[in-house]
Amino acid sequence: MKLWPAGPLYQALLVMVAAIAVAAGGYFVYRSWFADDPACAPGVSERGPRHECVGITDGAYAYDPSLKEVTKRIEAENNWVEKRTKGAGASPATIALMIPMISDNPAEQHEYVEQVEGAYLAQYRANHNTNRQPPIRLLLANPGRGYEHWPVVAEQLAQAASDEKQNLRAVAGINISLPETKAAIGHLTKRLHIPVVAGPMTADDIANEKKNPHRYPGLARVAPGNADQADALASYGKDIKPAETMVIEDIRDGDNYLESLRKRFEELADGAPNAPETFRSPPDFNDEGNLANDFHQMVPDICTSAAKTIYFAGRPVQLRQFLIELGDRNCNKHYTVITGSHASTLTVDEKFADHWDALTKGAGITLRYAALAHPDAWGDRSTEKTGGSRAALKELTSLLPKVGATPSDLVDGRIIITYDAVGTAVEGIRNDAVGKVRMPTLAEVADNWLRLHGTNRVEGASGWICLDQYGNPHNKAVPIVHLDPRKKTAVFDRITWPADRAPDVNCSIPREG
C-alpha cells in the first residue's frame, strides 16, 4: 500500500514538507532553550513587559551598573563567610534586602544604591566589629519596579528559609508604602512566617497595632510612621495657627504613604478656612505628567488665602513641581511648606538641581520635613542625653570608606535607616545565640522583636530603636530638617519626639491607657 503517490513532483513536495518540519522544530527548540530563556543569572530571571531581571542573588549578579561596586563587595563578604564557616560546624544566617533595584529615575537609582550600601555596611559590622555569632550572609532580592513581581521573589525567599545551607532568617529593607508592599509583607509574615524588618517604609496602615496586633506577625519597623512624623512636626511647630494653614494633597488611590499623610495633615490643619487643594498624580508617581499646570493654577488662590503654612501630602516629583510654581508666585509672602520624609529625595533629584532658587525668590520658601535620619542628629553638637547614640553614628561613619562614601552621603538618611534595619535583623537573629551557637528558628527570630527594648534596645545610628509589643519603634527620634538653597542640602534643625519628650534612660514603654 502506497502512502504517497509516486513521481518526482510528490517526492520533491515530501522533501520540502520534511525540511519545513525540521526547521520549525529547530525554531521551537531555539525559542525554548535560547531566545526565550528568561534567566539573567542564577536565581534571577526576566519578568513582565519590561523584561526586568528580578529574583535573588548573593552578589554574583548586579541588577544595574550603578550597583556593580557594592554588589562585588557583598559577594566577597559572602564568600568570606562561607570559607570561615566551612568545616567549622557553624552555619551562617542569611538576611535578604528586599527593595526595587531597577529604575529609570536617577534620584531613585541614587537612593537604592545607598540602601544597598547601608545593608552591606551592617553586614560587614556584624561579621567584623563584633564577636557574636552566627556569621551573616546577605542576599539582594529585587521584586521589580513598584514591587510588581514580589510573589516570584517571595517563593524564592521561602525556599531560602527552608534550606539549611542558606538559613534565611529575616527580610529587611521594604522601602515604599504601596499596596504591593502591603501584600508582600502580609504574605511573608502571615503565610510564610518569615520575619520582616521594614526600613524607610512609613505608612501607618502597614503595621501592627492595638486593634489588630497580629495583622503582620513577625513585622518590625525602624522608621517613625507618618503619624509619629506628624506628631513630631506638630511639636516643632506649636506656634502654627490652623487658621493660617492650607493642605495641598494628592488624591491618587493605591498609595499608602499618601493616604496616611493626607489623614494626618488634615488633622493638623483642622480649623483652616480653605478646603484642601487637590491634585491627582500619574499611576507611576515618578512620571512628570502635566501637574505643573495644575500647581500653576493653584498658586493665585494660595496667595489670596490667609495661609502661611502649607502641608503638602505628595511624592517628591510632585513636590518639586509645586515648589517651582510656588517660587514664581506674584505675591510677596513667605511660605513654610511642611511634608513627609520622602522629601529627602529632592536633595539628590537632578531635575531640582537647577531650581534651588525657587526657595529664595520673593519672600522665600522654607521647605521643612520630618527626616528618617540625619547625621547631625547625633553629631558632636548634639545635646540630647537619651534617645540616640553618638557612638553608633560614629561607628557607621567610620565604615563609609568601605563603600567609597563620605559623611555627606548620610544627609538623605537612606544609608542610615537601611543600616539600622539590617542591624536590627542581626540583633533579632543573634538574641538566641548565647553559649552554644545554634540557628534560631523563624518563629524565635520573630519573637525576639519583643525583646528589643529597654536595656536590649538597638543602638541605631538613626537613634534608639525600642520596639513595642507590636513591633513598632516607640517614641523614635524624628530629626526636623529644612532645605538650605545656599548649601543645596538638608540642614538639621533639631530632634523632636512623637511623645513630645525624649525617652527615659531605660527607653521605657509606658502601659497603654
Side-chain angles (χ1 to χ4, degrees):
M1 178 180 179
K2 292 184 178 180
L3 295 178
W4 288 90
L9 179 62
Y10 289 105
Q11 290 178 356
L13 180 62
L14 179 62
V15 170
M16 184 172 65
V17 170
I20 292 172
V22 170
Y27 172 76
F28 285 114
V29 167
Y30 171 79
R31 290 275 296 175
S32 299
W33 290 1
F34 300 101
D36 274 354
D37 182 3
C40 302
V44 183
S45 59
E46 285 188 2
R47 299 283 174 175
R50 295 181 177 181
H51 303 286
E52 292 183 298
C53 289
V54 302
I56 296 177
T57 178
D58 63 357
Y61 174 78
Y63 295 103
D64 186 85
S66 61
L67 288 168
K68 187 175 181 181
E69 291 303 317
V70 66
T71 298
K72 281 183 178 179
R73 289 180 170 87
I74 291 170
E75 181 184 25
E77 184 66 16
N78 286 335
N79 289 339
W80 179 86
V81 167
E82 183 179 357
K83 290 179 182 178
R84 180 186 177 190
T85 56
K86 190 174 183 179
S91 298
T94 298
I95 297 170
L97 178 72
M98 185 176 179
I99 61 170
M101 299 185 201
I102 299 175
S103 176
D104 298 324
N105 184 304
E108 277 199 341
Q109 292 173 4
H110 184 98
E111 289 178 341
Y112 64 60
V113 170
E114 289 187 329
Q115 289 171 78
V116 175
E117 289 174 345
Y120 165 71
L121 294 178
Q123 178 198 22
Y124 186 91
R125 176 186 179 275
N127 289 334
H128 298 277
N129 289 20
T130 70
N131 293 319
R132 296 176 64 192
Q133 300 292 326
I136 302 297
R137 291 176 69 244
L138 182 63
L139 297 178
L140 299 179
N142 176 32
R145 290 173 173 87
Y147 288 80
E148 180 181 359
H149 304 292
W150 71 261
V152 176
V153 176
E155 180 60 32
Q156 291 178 277
L157 292 170
Q159 293 173 5
S162 62
D163 185 345
E164 293 184 0
K165 291 184 178 180
Q166 297 198 67
N167 291 311
L168 177 76
R169 286 300 173 264
V171 172
I174 315 292
N175 61 342
I176 310 174
S177 303
L178 297 170
E180 289 79 6
T181 49
K182 187 174 184 177
I185 291 173
H187 188 78
L188 289 170
T189 58
K190 206 159 191 174
R191 296 185 180 179
L192 301 181
H193 310 293
I194 298 175
V196 173
V197 185
M201 186 186 73
T202 60
D204 295 321
D205 62 336
I206 312 179
N208 299 315
E209 57 183 348
K210 186 177 181 179
K211 294 179 181 178
N212 197 343
H214 306 298
R215 179 187 293 156
Y216 306 105
L219 171 63
R221 296 172 40 144
V222 300
N226 286 343
D228 280 354
Q229 290 182 33
D231 289 343
L233 285 164
S235 175
Y236 181 86
K238 291 180 179 179
D239 59 338
I240 296 175
K241 299 175 182 179
E244 297 176 345
T245 65
M246 177 182 286
V247 176
I248 310 292
E249 59 185 26
D250 188 345
I251 58 173
R252 174 172 52 82
D253 292 329
D255 191 317
N256 302 75
Y257 173 82
L258 295 179
E259 290 171 8
S260 56
L261 210 57
R262 285 196 302 262
K263 178 182 177 182
R264 294 302 292 170
F265 282 170
E266 288 179 10
E267 291 171 353
L268 289 179
D270 186 23
N274 292 66
E277 290 281 355
T278 61
F279 64 94
R280 195 187 310 276
S281 62
D284 182 346
F285 56 75
N286 286 315
D287 287 348
E288 299 289 323
N290 198 35
L291 285 174
N293 288 342
D294 290 39
F295 295 133
H296 179 78
Q297 294 172 18
M298 284 184 195
V299 170
D301 291 333
I302 295 172
C303 280
T304 57
S305 75
K308 296 181 180 178
T309 298
I310 298 172
Y311 293 105
F312 188 88
R315 292 284 186 176
V317 168
Q318 292 73 46
L319 175 60
R320 164 172 41 84
Q321 293 173 320
F322 173 71
L323 291 174
I324 292 171
E325 295 303 321
L326 186 62
D328 287 334
R329 65 194 180 280
N330 291 324
C331 57
N332 191 29
K333 295 169 62 177
H334 179 272
Y335 288 99
T336 297
V337 178
I338 294 175
T339 190
S341 57
H342 206 180
S344 64
T345 298
L346 286 184
T347 62
V348 295
D349 185 349
E350 294 179 357
K351 292 185 178 180
F352 189 64
D354 295 329
H355 292 286
W356 282 87
D357 64 340
L359 305 180
T360 62
K361 292 179 179 179
I365 301 171
T366 299
L367 176 69
R368 182 164 281 123
Y369 61 92
L372 298 177
H374 194 280
D376 290 340
W378 311 112
D380 294 335
R381 295 185 290 108
S382 173
T383 59
E384 298 291 343
K385 295 181 180 179
T386 59
S389 170
R390 292 185 186 180
L393 179 64
K394 187 174 182 179
E395 183 175 25
L396 169 58
T397 303
S398 71
L399 293 171
L400 291 177
K402 295 192 176 299
V403 292
T406 66
S408 64
D409 294 312
L410 299 178
V411 170
D412 68 356
R414 296 283 170 169
I415 290 178
I416 298 175
I417 205 71
T418 312
Y419 173 85
D420 280 354
V422 175
T424 299
V426 171
E427 289 299 312
I429 291 169
R430 287 179 169 176
N431 258 9
D432 280 329
V434 179
K436 183 180 179 181
V437 176
R438 69 177 184 84
M439 187 61 57
T441 65
L442 293 170
E444 287 173 333
V445 174
D447 286 345
N448 282 339
W449 303 153
L450 304 175
R451 305 275 68 79
L452 298 183
H453 61 262
T455 57
N456 293 316
R457 63 180 175 262
V458 178
E459 295 280 344
S462 61
W464 290 355
I465 300 168
C466 306
L467 299 182
D468 63 17
Q469 63 266 47
Y470 311 118
N472 300 317
H474 173 71
N475 199 24
K476 175 76 182 293
V478 179
I480 304 298
V481 304
H482 72 275
L483 292 191
D484 187 327
R486 291 165 299 181
K487 297 180 180 179
K488 295 185 177 181
T489 190
V491 174
F492 173 70
D493 291 328
R494 71 174 175 87
I495 286 289
T496 53
W497 309 95
D500 203 21
R501 64 184 181 281
D504 62 29
V505 293
N506 295 318
C507 199
S508 303
I509 300 176
R511 182 177 179 178
E512 294 179 339

